[in-house]
Amino acid sequence: MADAGAPVGPESPVMANVAFTVNGKRRELDLDIRTSLLDAAREHLHLSGSKKGCDHGQCGACTMIVDGRRINACLTLAVMHQGSDIVTIEGLGQPDNLHPMQDAFVRHDGYQCGYCTPGQICSGVAVLAEIEAGIPSHVTADLNAAPEATADEIRERMSGNLCRCGAYSNIVEAMTEIAGRPA
Amino acid sequence: MKFDTPATQNPIDQLKVIGQSVNRIDGKFKTTGTAAYAYERHDVAPNQAYGYVLGASIAKGRIRAIDDTSARAAPGVVTIVTTLDTPPLALGQMNYANLFGGAEIAHYHQAVAVVVAETFEQARAAAFLLTVDYETEAGRFDLAAEAGSAEPVGGDSGEGSDSGPGDRVGDFEGAFAAAPVTLDHTYTTPDESHAMMEPHATIAAWQGEKLTLWTSNQMIAWSKGSVAKILGIPKENVRVDSPYIGGGFGGKLFVRADAVLAALAAKAARRPVKVALTRPLIVNNTTHRPATIQRVRLGATRDGIITAIAHESISGNLKDGPPETAVDQTKLLYAGAHRLTGMKLARLDLPEGNAMRAPGEAPGLMALEVAMDEMAEKLGLDPVEFRIRNDTQVDPGNPERPFSQRDLVGCLTLGATTFGWDKRNPKPGQVRDGHWLVGLGVASGFRNNLLAKSGARVRLEVDGRVTVETDMTDIGTGSYTIIAQTAAEMMGVALDGIVVRLGDSDHPASAGSGGQWGANNATAGVYAACVKLREAVAQRLGINSADAVFADGVVRSGNRAVPLCEAAASGELVAEDAIEYGDLSKKQQQSTFAGHFVEVGVDIHTAEIRVRRMLAVCAAGRILNPKSARSQVIGGMVMGVGAALMEELAVDTRRGFFVNHDLAGYEVPVHADIPHQKVIFLDEPDPQSSPMKAKGVGELGVCGVGAAVANAVYNATGLRVRDYPLTLDKLLDRMPDAA
Ligand code: FES
Ligand code: FES
């Protein structure tokens, strides 16, 4: 919002060049600096697997894995990611070459409409990596022990990914199965 | 195909593919982000511009003027269409507030302009440069305050529940006065939002007079007609396409502002335009489940036989809008000689109230099934036993009309044994697990099964694959998969030999997705088309279709065996048909039933409520795919937990809008709120419903769950809350002593 009295009028958008790696490929874009990382992917790279459920960091549908950590791509500007290594749902696996987590979602029916699903899967992969890395959560009882991929840990860490279709019970089963696999 | 006598043995009964828990055929697309939803169809039309919708910032009144000078001059702006530039548009089907056009404002966030620009960021920035001059009018926004002036009204949810202003059987008042044990309580349910994860979105493109909308919509044929009506163009000039829909729950049954504004904007811009409603706009711009005030009266003999049952509900809506039909299930769920159901409707100036998953039953059972729990306690009866004593196998208001099938008793008894109901302490507030007070609750689930005409086209392609085309939608329900299963079973081919194309208005019109009628009707339509295709195949192969057996890609008759694909060797075979129904559902009542069981823990110190276990036992006809059907049920159960514990649109009764209009303010259940959920289906193919012998299950899951949660909270704490949602502030000052 402009301050009261400040002149508002036609100003050309400020553009900036940004380069990052998306799913292993270097991508370079000239973007209006107001472009979110989510819209850079969806509207400019036509990688629309990452979904826009709210554009406000309230739903998790836009989750991507950036430099190894999951983030809400709607809450970050693309130009803040110069040099970042970005993995989207399209980078995890493809229809005929599913990532184990994608495959587990299919077998456990961990989705219905599918709109939250890419976000759930990206979060799911990152959550198991977080647990593996020993990062504690709100429900970790013993901060000195290594956290485990219990149902409670999974539910807590996945709670930023809303699913209005209510596939939660199946998502937890899919993730538990993957977590239980030998590395 | 006319279905007017009960189904006999047919190829579906082989259950080689139907009835199997196969994985969804669209799963690999949804899990890889390659299923394209409406806003993502970059390839369908070149040079798409971005539309950004501005909503009214008053609830009632009119617009004096809109100054768009600076917005038009803003960078990248292609065009702007304001509501003042447009005459009031006609209403679409089951639509009660204007979607656009004219100066009048009927509700908050009604669309007042769409700004079209080269990029989303430019359109958004320019939209905030519009200055709208409003003349505000006083409105009515408070249901409780208007309840006294509400008028008796009949109504239909459009989704299988309808009721008159006052439906009577026998002498309710007399029987209630004479009953030795009575209950009279009022329950309230709040306004709720669908909150589907995919915002309403549309890409519109004109080619001359022809309009195509790539959109997110549950009911393709309705919407094609509505778009034509709203825009005043011939229906033949409209095509609607919705292959993937990111959830609807009734919120996408109808055409909404995204579709209309994309069409108008594309016309003005002379190029394709895409529009998504922003999340904060959705709650007030679109529809919601209306709040209710429900009074339930029960009279019973001392041994727990209901003699008098009354259920009355007050809800509110815009002018000409329907009531929430919360009393309908009470006409059918329990026995009782003397009955009364009635509805009243208050005129409100809040956004449009309309269907949300199980309209009527979802809020209705939240009241009735708590009343049943309270009455059981008054009678000193177990709540499962009380329900069983009052089961009815016939329509209580019309006893010569039986249910086609009804095993509510089986749902309740199997549920009780499976859940460990015998361990429930009937005295509330007794069971502790550390700092948790633990309680169990039960409720019946009920939802009607609806029959609606549904068409499909099937092709046997030259390469032997079978393609199914229908305008049926898959809103997460599993339509793609159960339709493929139906065609595979009928044509005797493997599931991966079936291609399913959905959601296109150029395909035969189906029943669509709503009122849990999609699965049974849409697959029955595919069955009908496959029967025709089988005849065409037999004819071409010179086989008698009556004794032809289609299995393993081969058609057999007598000692002949011909590969199915040979029938298409000289060219594709195409068959089209629809299922149409006679009056079977009038002669016998078709409904679905559930027993819902819930265990909760309530924190003795903070009154925080946690759901610990959930079970639903469902009797809902043949289950076409137990895996996807189970998902429908657990999804309903999640929504039921939301309704019981957290979901409430907060009304600003002075300014007239829903305040918590985004996903941070409107809380829905998250992972941490939901435990493992168990679902059991009773095996009961219903030959009255269709050749598929299936019924709906997509809404049964939400029906009754909220009450089971509330009853469990009572059993845990001894505190009865009759105003949903059960937030901890309603318990805290009454919690039992922690000691
Ligand atoms: S779209 Fe990013 S959190 Fe909802
Ligand atoms: S699958 Fe529909 S919102 Fe999760």
Side-chain angles (χ1 to χ4, degrees):
Chain A
M1 279 290 163
D3 290 340
V8 267
E11 280 166 39
S12 297
V14 180
M15 304 294 287
N17 179 276
V18 60
F20 36 51
T21 306
V22 182
N23 302 329
K25 262 199 232 140
R26 191 184 136 86
R27 308 298 295 250
E28 203 176 324
L29 292 168
D30 278 313
L31 291 174
D32 184 325
I33 56 166
R34 297 168 294 186
T35 310
S36 68
L37 179 59
L38 178 63
D39 282 332
R42 284 169 60 85
E43 306 303 328
H44 297 265
L45 299 174
H46 291 189
L47 289 172
S48 51
S50 311
K51 303 304 179 196
K52 187 186 277 190
C54 68
D55 218 10
H56 284 70
Q58 301 169 346
C59 76
C62 60
T63 306
M64 295 178 186
I65 305 172
V66 177
D67 298 326
R69 291 288 172 81
R70 60 195 167 124
I71 62 169
N72 287 338
C74 70
L75 277 192
T76 188
L77 296 172
V79 293
M80 294 159 66
H81 291 282
Q82 179 67 32
S84 286
D85 183 18
I86 298 161
V87 178
T88 70
I89 188 70
E90 292 92 343
L92 286 180
Q94 298 75 44
D96 295 312
N97 175 34
L98 297 179
H99 182 280
M101 187 68 83
Q102 292 168 323
D103 184 56
F105 267 62
V106 173
R107 283 181 291 103
H108 290 276
D109 216 40
Y111 56 84
Q112 292 190 54
C113 76
Y115 201 76
C116 74
T117 310
Q120 301 278 359
I121 291 173
C122 285
S123 240
V125 168
V127 158
L128 295 187
E130 283 159 24
I131 294 174
E132 191 71 31
I135 299 170
S137 83
H138 173 69
V139 299
T140 309
D142 181 358
L143 294 181
N144 292 316
E148 283 176 48
T150 61
D152 279 350
E153 282 282 2
I154 290 172
R155 289 190 188 109
E156 167 63 23
R157 293 168 193 256
M158 291 295 289
S159 283
N161 287 87
L162 304 184
C163 176
R164 186 57 161 165
C165 294
Y168 298 131
S169 184
N170 292 351
I171 294 171
V172 172
E173 280 172 29
M175 287 182 63
T176 303
E177 183 200 296
I178 298 300
R181 282 191 171 178
Chain B
M1 175 184 288
K2 185 90 172 174
F3 183 75
D4 49 12
T5 52
T8 51
Q9 190 79 12
N10 69 44
I12 294 296
D13 295 317
Q14 302 173 90
L15 302 182
K16 286 186 191 160
V17 198
I18 283 291
Q20 304 301 316
S21 280
V22 300
N23 295 335
R24 292 179 197 235
I25 63 169
D26 48 341
K28 61 181 179 181
F29 306 114
K30 285 177 173 172
T31 55
T32 54
T34 50
Y37 296 78
Y39 200 74
E40 303 159 1
R41 312 269 314 259
H42 298 284
D43 54 331
V44 292
N47 198 26
Q48 298 169 13
Y50 291 80
Y52 192 96
V53 180
L54 189 71
S57 59
I58 64 165
K60 191 168 165 58
R62 59 197 52 78
I63 297 177
R64 286 198 203 96
I66 298 178
D67 180 358
D68 60 4
T69 325
S70 17
R72 280 190 187 276
V77 170
V78 175
T79 188
I80 296 173
V81 182
T82 79
T83 192
L84 297 184
D85 309 333
T86 314
L89 298 177
L91 296 174
Q93 190 164 348
M94 291 191 223
N95 182 203
Y96 306 98
N98 258 2
L99 293 177
F100 199 65
E104 295 299 315
I105 299 299
H107 65 88
Y108 190 81
H109 272 176
Q110 193 168 14
V112 300
V114 57
V115 176
V116 182
E118 296 294 340
T119 70
F120 173 71
E121 294 75 24
Q122 290 170 331
R124 179 180 58 193
F128 287 103
L129 298 176
L130 289 169
T131 317
V132 185
D133 181 16
Y134 293 103
E135 183 183 311
T136 309
E137 207 180 295
R140 288 169 286 191
F141 308 118
D142 185 349
L143 178 62
E146 302 300 326
S149 64
E151 297 283 342
V153 69
D156 184 338
S157 69
E159 287 213 341
S161 68
D162 62 87
S163 225
D167 292 338
R168 291 177 171 277
V169 178
D171 167 22
F172 169 76
E173 280 80 4
F176 185 71
V181 185
T182 60
L183 166 141
D184 181 352
H185 282 305
T186 297
Y187 306 85
T188 64
T189 62
D191 297 286
E192 291 175 9
S193 184
H194 309 83
M196 74 297 280
M197 294 305 300
E198 181 205 22
H200 301 70
T202 302
I203 300 172
W206 293 86
Q207 274 189 310
E209 298 297 300
K210 301 237 180 222
L211 171 67
T212 304
L213 298 173
W214 294 274
T215 187
S216 183
N217 191 287
Q218 301 173 222
M219 298 293 299
I220 300 303
W222 287 6
S223 296
K224 179 180 162 112
S226 289
V227 168
K229 183 164 175 262
I230 292 167
L231 298 177
I233 60 177
K235 220 168 134 174
E236 310 77 70
N237 288 357
V238 179
R239 177 174 164 233
V240 176
D241 189 35
S242 278
Y244 289 103
I245 295 137
F249 314 114
K252 293 175 182 167
L253 283 171
F254 321 111
V255 168
R256 300 300 314 172
D258 57 303
V260 172
L261 290 178
L264 294 176
K267 182 136 237 182
R270 296 168 193 276
R271 63 191 263 201
V273 170
K274 61 182 194 172
V275 173
L277 300 185
T278 60
R279 180 57 65 179
L281 200 62
I282 293 174
V283 164
N284 288 286
N285 177 269
T286 71
T287 61
H288 65 280
R289 188 200 300 284
T292 63
I293 302 169
Q294 303 179 48
R295 181 185 185 194
V296 180
R297 283 174 286 171
L298 298 172
T301 62
R302 284 194 202 287
D303 54 0
I305 303 299
I306 295 174
T307 52
I309 179 166
H311 191 167
E312 293 157 287
S313 172
I314 305 173
S315 57
N317 215 331
L318 288 167
K319 184 171 174 295
D320 304 324
E324 180 70 25
T325 52
V327 304
D328 185 49
Q329 73 285 318
T330 308
K331 291 189 285 191
L332 291 168
L333 189 49
Y334 297 114
H338 304 282
R339 320 176 68 89
L340 163 65
T341 50
M343 294 187 294
K344 287 182 177 175
L345 182 63
R347 171 76 200 278
L348 293 179
D349 298 299
L350 289 171
E352 177 177 323
N354 216 317
M356 176 169 147
R357 201 173 196 176
E361 283 80 358
L365 286 163
M366 285 164 75
L368 177 66
E369 287 298 287
V370 171
M372 288 295 287
D373 199 67
E374 299 199 56
M375 189 67 170
E377 188 179 36
K378 276 194 172 191
L379 290 159
L381 274 179
D382 181 276
V384 170
E385 173 59 23
F386 178 48
R387 287 176 171 87
I388 290 173
R389 275 190 202 176
N390 291 286
D391 184 48
T392 173
Q393 291 297 312
V394 297
D395 174 350
N398 193 358
E400 62 278 9
R401 192 167 165 261
F403 284 88
S404 64
Q405 294 197 334
R406 171 170 168 135
D407 197 7
L408 174 61
V409 170
C411 293
L412 291 168
T413 48
L414 179 62
T417 14
T418 311
F419 204 63
W421 186 253
D422 57 337
K423 297 194 188 65
R424 171 182 178 268
N425 190 328
K427 193 159 176 262
Q430 302 302 307
V431 180
R432 281 285 286 268
D433 173 11
H435 57 100
W436 297 101
L437 289 164
V438 180
L440 303 189
V442 67
S444 300
F446 173 91
R447 180 87 169 115
N448 285 333
N449 182 57
L450 301 175
L451 302 180
K453 183 180 173 186
S454 195
R457 184 162 53 223
V458 283
R459 302 171 186 277
L460 178 62
E461 319 257 359
V462 180
D463 62 5
R465 279 189 312 174
V466 176
T467 299
V468 186
E469 296 167 340
T470 156
D471 84 353
M472 180 60 191
T473 49
D474 190 329
I475 62 173
T477 38
S479 310
Y480 275 106
T481 310
I482 56 173
I483 283 172
Q485 287 175 272
T486 304
E489 194 80 80
M490 289 299 290
M491 301 312 298
V493 299
L495 200 56
D496 61 8
I498 309 287
V499 176
V500 181
R501 300 218 167 86
L502 298 184
D504 187 336
S505 64
D506 286 350
H507 296 163
S510 71
S513 300
Q516 76 169 11
W517 63 57
N520 179 50
N521 294 300
T523 55
V526 174
Y527 170 94
C530 285
V531 168
K532 268 203 176 165
L533 185 61
R534 287 164 60 112
E535 280 161 13
V537 167
Q539 201 183 9
R540 205 176 259 184
L541 295 178
I543 283 176
N544 176 8
S545 75
D547 61 16
V549 176
F550 290 68
D552 310 315
V554 176
V555 190
R556 289 191 177 78
S557 168
N559 47 17
R560 275 193 74 193
V562 190
L564 176 66
C565 57
E566 251 174 50
S570 59
E572 178 189 74
L573 275 176
V574 185
E576 181 175 333
D577 202 1
I579 191 87
E580 291 178 80
Y581 297 94
D583 61 353
L584 286 178
S585 66
K586 298 212 169 56
K587 291 190 202 138
Q588 300 199 352
Q589 174 61 38
Q590 297 185 15
S591 303
T592 64
F593 299 88
H596 285 291
F597 293 80
V598 172
E599 177 181 305
V600 301
V602 183
D603 188 295
I604 186 96
H605 304 292
T606 66
E608 175 190 0
I609 302 168
R610 308 293 305 169
V611 178
R612 294 156 62 112
R613 290 194 297 137
M614 299 186 84
L615 165 70
V617 183
C618 302
R622 169 175 285 154
I623 300 303
L624 302 173
N625 180 339
K627 186 179 276 196
S628 55
R630 175 180 174 278
S631 288
Q632 283 286 288
V633 176
I634 66 169
M637 291 156 76
V638 170
M639 209 172 264
V641 169
L645 298 182
M646 63 196 81
E647 291 185 39
E648 175 174 27
L649 288 170
V651 183
D652 183 324
T653 53
R654 291 164 311 144
R655 306 263 306 167
F657 70 107
F658 299 123
V659 181
N660 47 344
H661 52 81
D662 61 23
L663 292 172
Y666 185 78
E667 295 189 358
V668 300
V670 302
H671 273 277
D673 296 318
I674 301 299
H676 175 75
Q677 294 166 313
K678 195 170 167 68
V679 179
I680 298 171
F681 293 111
L682 301 184
D683 181 26
E684 57 160 37
D686 188 340
Q688 306 277 334
S689 72
S690 82
M692 302 302 294
K693 305 175 185 171
K695 288 178 186 163
V697 74
E699 296 184 339
L700 183 62
V702 74
C703 293
V705 181
V709 173
N711 293 338
V713 169
Y714 175 76
N715 183 243
T717 61
L719 302 176
R720 190 62 81 173
V721 178
R722 300 190 184 90
D723 299 298
Y724 290 98
L726 278 63
T727 45
L728 53 81
D729 53 296
K730 295 173 187 168
L731 296 168
L732 200 51
D733 59 356
R734 299 187 286 153
M735 283 294 282
D737 207 352

